[in-house]
Amino acid sequence: EETSEFESRGLLLNLLVIFLGGLALNLTPCVYPLIPITIGYFGGQTEGRTSKLFVLGLLYVLGLSITYSIVGVVTSLSGALFGSLLQSTVVIIIISLIFVALALSMFGLYEFKLPDSWVMKAGGARSGRFGAFFMGLTMGVVAAPCVGPFVFSLITIVANKQDPFYGFLVFFVLSLGLGLPYLILALFSGKLKSLPRAGLWMEAVKHIFGFIMIGMALYFAAPLIPREINHYVLPVYGLLAALYLLFFDKSANSSKGFRTFKTVLSILVIAASVYFGWPVKEDHGNWVKFDEAQYTEALGKDKIIIDFWADWCVACKELDAITFKNEKVKEVLSGFKAYKSDLTKTDDETKKIYQKFKIISLPTVLVIDSKGNEVKRITGFMEPEEFLKIIEAVR
């Protein structure tokens, strides 16, 4: 249904929507930490003219585009779930380590640049260009896992269409939208470095982004952390990071405006950490763990709803916290056999579930009527009001 609605709008209009979606994705929490790295990198190339910065920016965006275009082609050829990569322990560790490495460069432990041997191979005179392209490739990998339900809905459409060129085009246009602000930042970085006293507050801002990146590393590592303590990891980290910024990080404190900003930010983070870290009694309603035997027995007799989710899936958590917690939704769902299927880890059992229910992206919520027919397949977050209309109509 989602695919047909998408196609009915026409290719050009769809590409415009995708481009605008790419622009909007720069506001997601694991894309904007890349901004200070971009400014720092391009700012270091300012001996060149604006035209040189523009070329570097273009190469950076091209690197970003190649990463996403590969995703589009692979998805269209295999029909595979790109997000399921995040079930792999190796991938989770690599992504978490990338964020830690970026964070350490924000704290000034080293400068984020390519190894000299790589630069020599690419030709010393072109190191800036090669570096910009390579950084674009890297940032595409770092940003890819958390660009949200918008990208997962595109993956669903591309996987269903199974046309490699279409997959390439959709994700290339998406990456152009995602990369345009970086092209502007590349040009802006030259002007930024020439501002008086820019170095003082830029260093302090980099420290803040460093803490954000360590937070992102912990967020991605969540599937590897025991669930008993997982709830407390980020709140405790947020509390410690905010207290450090408030009392121990003295950088740019000479600027009254920045000191006020840092104080307000730290207090907000402390308040949020206490709020989210406070122990809460979980109300699971009538949701039970998915069991194939129970499901088969209920099929054709009862109304059924199955929520396929994973620890790494942001939209899954939104569905849980907002839609499924709505009192009216809970009331209507009491008339359903409600199952939750945890697809966080990759094993034979989860692979069978992916194949059996033809799942391409998470979250996926299947709504099945009492005759055993699938009446709706929801991919991505849905507001309680819209969700209610669907489940109230099921017979």
Side-chain angles (χ1 to χ4, degrees):
E1 190 177 322
E2 186 177 4
T3 310
S4 58
E5 185 187 325
F6 185 86
E7 287 180 345
S8 68
R9 285 202 302 249
L11 183 63
L12 281 177
L13 186 58
N14 282 332
L15 293 179
L16 177 62
V17 170
I18 291 165
F19 178 77
L20 294 173
L23 278 175
L25 290 174
N26 282 286
L27 303 174
T28 58
C30 41
V31 177
Y32 69 67
L34 308 179
I35 291 169
I37 297 173
T38 311
I39 291 176
Y41 180 80
F42 289 112
Q45 313 277 338
T46 51
E47 313 81 51
R49 301 178 305 279
T50 302
S51 58
K52 183 188 174 188
L53 281 169
F54 183 74
V55 170
L56 292 178
L58 272 181
L59 285 165
Y60 183 92
V61 174
L62 183 64
L64 194 68
S65 301
I66 285 175
T67 301
Y68 282 94
S69 301
I70 289 169
V71 170
V73 172
V74 169
T75 303
S76 65
L77 289 173
S78 65
L81 169 65
F82 178 62
S84 66
L85 280 174
L86 290 182
Q87 297 172 35
S88 161
T89 303
V90 175
V91 174
I92 290 169
I93 291 169
I94 289 170
I95 289 171
S96 298
L97 288 176
I98 288 173
F99 272 110
V100 170
L102 294 175
L104 294 178
S105 76
M106 292 284 98
F107 292 123
L109 263 72
Y110 50 80
E111 189 185 346
F112 187 86
K113 64 170 192 166
L114 290 166
D116 291 339
S117 58
W118 292 19
V119 172
M120 290 298 288
K121 282 177 188 172
R126 297 188 178 184
S127 61
R129 293 176 186 181
F130 182 76
F133 177 70
F134 183 80
M135 270 189 69
L137 285 173
T138 311
M139 294 314 168
V141 172
V142 172
C146 54
V147 285
F150 180 77
V151 171
F152 284 132
S153 64
L154 288 185
I155 284 171
T156 307
I157 289 154
V158 167
N160 285 334
K161 202 163 177 69
Q162 298 193 338
D163 175 352
F165 177 73
Y166 186 79
F168 170 84
L169 189 64
V170 163
F171 278 88
F172 187 76
V173 170
L174 172 78
S175 60
L176 290 182
L178 192 61
L180 182 64
Y182 293 98
L183 183 59
I184 295 163
L185 278 173
L187 296 171
F188 180 61
S189 64
K191 306 286 182 286
L192 192 74
K193 285 280 176 176
S194 63
L195 289 173
R197 293 162 56 84
L200 284 173
W201 61 268
M202 271 303 288
E203 280 306 306
V205 167
K206 281 167 78 174
H207 290 178
I208 292 169
F209 276 112
F211 281 118
I212 290 172
M213 285 179 187
I214 292 175
M216 294 308 303
L218 290 172
Y219 173 80
F220 278 112
L224 308 179
I225 301 169
R227 285 191 178 168
E228 303 76 49
I229 62 165
N230 205 359
H231 174 74
Y232 302 102
V233 170
L234 273 176
V236 168
Y237 169 74
L239 197 63
L240 294 174
L243 290 171
Y244 179 85
L245 282 172
L246 207 52
F247 297 110
F248 299 104
D249 191 334
K250 306 292 183 191
S251 52
N253 273 3
S254 54
S255 164
K256 190 181 174 185
F258 186 81
R259 193 167 70 244
T260 304
F261 164 75
K262 193 165 71 168
T263 304
V264 170
L265 177 69
S266 300
I267 290 168
L268 287 173
V269 171
I270 289 168
S273 299
V274 170
Y275 176 77
F276 288 110
W278 204 263
V280 287
K281 188 176 182 294
E282 284 292 320
D283 175 18
H284 295 295
N286 69 320
W287 292 95
V288 295
K289 187 180 173 185
F290 178 78
D291 178 274
E292 190 148 4
Q294 287 179 14
Y295 162 74
T296 307
E297 192 182 329
L299 200 62
K301 297 180 195 168
D302 302 291
K303 293 187 288 184
I304 298 171
I305 188 160
I306 314 173
D307 174 30
F308 299 95
W309 66 283
D311 271 342
W312 47 262
C313 165
V314 178
C316 302
K317 291 171 183 175
E318 286 179 328
L319 267 177
D320 251 347
I322 300 166
T323 307
F324 297 154
K325 289 285 191 293
N326 179 283
E327 288 304 320
K328 183 68 178 157
V329 168
K330 279 159 69 175
E331 187 186 319
V332 177
L333 281 180
S334 64
F336 283 74
K337 292 279 187 186
Y339 298 105
K340 276 191 175 291
S341 181
D342 182 358
L343 302 179
T344 301
K345 289 182 180 168
T346 304
D347 54 32
D348 290 340
E349 193 181 330
T350 55
K351 283 176 185 171
K352 280 180 194 167
I353 289 172
Y354 274 119
Q355 287 165 359
K356 180 182 172 73
F357 293 100
K358 298 184 174 64
I359 296 163
I360 295 171
S361 66
L362 295 181
T364 292
V365 180
L366 295 190
V367 185
I368 300 166
D369 65 19
S370 56
K371 291 180 181 174
N373 301 315
E374 182 186 315
V375 292
K376 185 70 178 175
R377 178 175 290 242
I378 299 160
T379 54
F381 173 70
M382 185 177 277
E383 292 287 351
E385 297 74 22
E386 199 180 341
F387 185 73
L388 260 174
K389 285 179 193 169
I390 292 166
I391 56 174
E392 282 178 334
V394 178
R395 297 286 173 262

